[in-house]
Amino acid sequence: MSRPLCNHYAALLSSAAGSRDGARASGAIHCLILRTLPHPPPTYLLNQLLTAYARSGRLAHARRLFDTMPDPNLFTRNALLSALAHARLLPDMESLFASMPERDTVSYNALIAGFSGVGVPRQAAGVYRALLREEAVVDGVRVRPSRITMSGMVLAASALGDRALGRQVHCQILRLGFGAYAFTGSPLVDMYAKMGLIGDAKRVFDEMEGRNVVMYNTMITGLLRCKMVAEAKELFEAMVERDSITWTTMVTGLTQNGLQLEALDVFSRMRAAGVGIDQYTFGSILTACGALAALEEGKQIHAYIIRTLYDGNVFVGSALVDMYSKCRGIRSAEAVFRRMTCKNIISWTAMIVGYGQNGCGEEAVRVFSEMQRDGIKPDDFTLGSVISSCANLASLEEGAQFHCMALISGLRPYITVSNALVTLYGKCGSIEDAHRLFDEMLFHDQVSWTALVSGYAQFGKAKETIELFEKMLSKGVKPDGVTFIGVLSACSRSGLVEKGRSYFQCMQENHGIVPLDGHYTCMIDLYSRSGRLKEAEEFIRQMPRCPDAIGWATLLSSCRLRGDMEIGKWAAENLLKIDPQNPASYVLLCSMHASKGEWTEVAQLRRGMRDRQVKKEPGCSWIKYKNKVHIFSADDQSHPFSGTIYDKLQWLNSKMLEQGYKPDVSSVLHDVADSEKVHMLSNHSEKLAIAFGLIFVPEEMPIRIVKNLRVCLDCHNATKFISKITGRDILVRDAVRFHKFSNGICSCGDFW
């Protein structure tokens, strides 16, 4: 009677182990066993019960049952060992393994899987070596590695990146006769590809008989990972049978290799073939759309996502936010984000990064605060992104708060956060703090060096910039195009023409970097700022393409300073051709004519601006005090403390005149008396902002001003006098660079 009943219970337990309600069913059957069978029940039935408990997640019940079993055998111990390995309870797993009176291949496999599962493949390799030394015989068979063992060891060798171990395991696979099995062949192909040994991967693939879709998918992944796109495409086209993973692999691989248009084409073919599309396919194709800034294609895929009911998927939603952000559709990204019912750290980070990429730094900070209120803890990438937004806003107050958060949360050592902090302090004018943070970092990558180089370059500290750049090269860190923009701009702002020219040549010949518009603009600035306008003209005529609007405006600005009307008109004409609505050409030409007293020409230019509806961006300056931004424009009297500010300015003007200050009226483009010009200069926006800072910012703190345009000659000179009279450090970040005024001297050396 008991034997058939035991078999019946064993069958029920076997079914319960894989069911959704396995835990409750196992408990109920256990009760039946205790009530209906003599004590103790047979070991094979208890083994079945222990396995059912373990597979249904009730590990505590499994361990309690194991402890009460009178006659546990090898199967019993292996079942619990596998459960402990699956639960990642390594100390308990090792303790049980050590106490086992006998072990077979399953025992060793469980231990290998346990170590590999928690990311310690080196211990897994140690267990494998112990297995090879095992001389025990179980049920008349010597304990030796199985296919499962070898598959696990291939994965361990791959995780370690250990080529020698990988080849040893491969040899063992061949010696044991497992070479023809896809179960071991597919991991081998993947292992060799990850190690960069694509030739070995191809050889394993070619030697396999009866290659299945999994093998093809693995080989294609390896080829794409090693940038062998042509070979991957050839293998893909040769496949008779493809599954959704095959198509997704091609879409992802082409996107990662910069072939986004081809990825879009493969995606279209995938849809036409009627293959099921999952979240990973959508994620990859949306990444391709973002890289191409292909907004229309992205919208079409979004519509398809809605039709296939994937719009509620958090992975796909995050990819949509990222795609719209990169396509400059920040409001669409925001709409997708707000509709997401479930958000994770990736979703929040995508929105924060998106705001930063689109110049919406305030919104990035706001969403970060919202994320915190939702109980989501930032990771290093999220925190680095919001700090970068503060850097772009030149908002040192918020940035410093996030710096404190990085210290408290333990995220400060992460290179993403450290690089963002170096950039923050560099862009906010605290170059000493930026350098101190850089020195505290244990590891520096390309971004770290570039952040500090650019920080010094913005201050016009050419000597320090060049020393840092040379040190970067000596450390074996490869510079990129952004690094060279920093170095070239430092040379141009310090008049180091020959040095800048040699770096421009070095960039192309030694580092293989193709110059972009930013590099050409730096070179135009290098020549023209130093007064070598003819050389700037020759350089432009030899360029492979015409300068962009910034390049022509740079040349025109220098022509204004040097009074070179001929080259100035040439620059203005070209600027108008490529950007008719750019006011720089009109404003700078007006300035050149005004300096010569040619008011008729000034009037004609202004009439042309009105006829073409070209509007000059009004100058403004702002200062942050107690988390509030105070914005000033010229002659602004809208501020609540306007009377106090103008009184302070009047006092400063009288003190400056006593010290020998003479207003520079050359930048006033109006045909009025000199006294009126002096009055207009005295109320420029940066002077109002500085007066506010002198009144409200504590004396021990520097005054930090941001201006949307380039600081004029008179304001630059006046600020030097103000810094000497008041004994205050004044930092001005204009559209071009930083100026640190201290005791009557500016960090730019009056060369900007």
Side-chain angles (χ1 to χ4, degrees), residues 10 13-14 17 42-55 62 65-66 69 71-83 96 100-107 110 138-139:
L13 287 167
S14 181
T43 300
Y44 81 91
L45 181 58
L46 293 177
N47 286 347
Q48 199 73 44
L49 179 60
L50 188 149
T51 303
Y53 273 138
R55 288 182 180 174
L65 177 63
F66 177 82
M69 287 178 65
D71 298 308
N73 57 21
L74 181 58
F75 183 94
T76 316
R77 293 183 175 88
N78 282 344
L80 183 59
L81 192 66
S82 297
L96 177 60
M100 290 173 68
E102 63 174 348
R103 308 179 187 106
D104 63 1
T105 306
V106 176
S107 317
V138 177
D139 294 333

Side-chain angles (χ1 to χ4, degrees), residues 12-30 48-58 61:
L12 290 175
L13 287 167
S14 181
S15 301
S19 68
R20 291 173 57 187
D21 201 22
R24 192 177 65 83
S26 300
I29 297 166
H30 192 178
Q48 199 73 44
L49 179 60
L50 188 149
T51 303
Y53 273 138
R55 288 182 180 174
S56 59
R58 301 183 75 172
H61 287 68

Side-chain angles (χ1 to χ4, degrees), residues 651-664:
W651 177 84
L652 285 169
N653 278 327
S654 64
K655 290 291 182 183
M656 286 192 295
L657 290 169
E658 289 175 11
Q659 294 281 333
Y661 162 70
K662 292 181 180 179
D664 186 339

Side-chain angles (χ1 to χ4, degrees), residues 653 657 661-665 668 672-684 687 714:
N653 278 327
L657 290 169
Y661 162 70
K662 292 181 180 179
D664 186 339
V665 297
V668 180
V672 295
D674 281 355
S675 59
E676 181 62 22
K677 290 181 179 180
V678 170
H679 175 73
M680 294 169 73
L681 284 173
S682 65
N683 298 334
H684 271 191
K687 291 178 181 174
D714 179 71

Side-chain angles (χ1 to χ4, degrees), residues 44 289 401 421 591 640 748:
Y44 81 91
C289 291
Q401 291 173 26
L421 286 169
S591 177
C748 74

Side-chain angles (χ1 to χ4, degrees), residues 396 428-430 622-624 702-706 729-732:
L396 188 60
C428 291
S430 299
W622 59 93
I623 180 172
K624 195 162 190 178
I703 296 167
R704 299 175 184 276
I705 309 293
V706 182
D729 285 350
I730 302 170
L731 280 160
V732 179

Side-chain angles (χ1 to χ4, degrees), residues 321 329-340 351 355:
V321 171
I330 192 62
R331 297 308 158 204
S332 297
E334 191 176 57
V336 171
F337 180 76
R338 294 300 170 198
R339 282 197 298 266
M340 290 175 69
M351 193 69 251
Y355 277 132

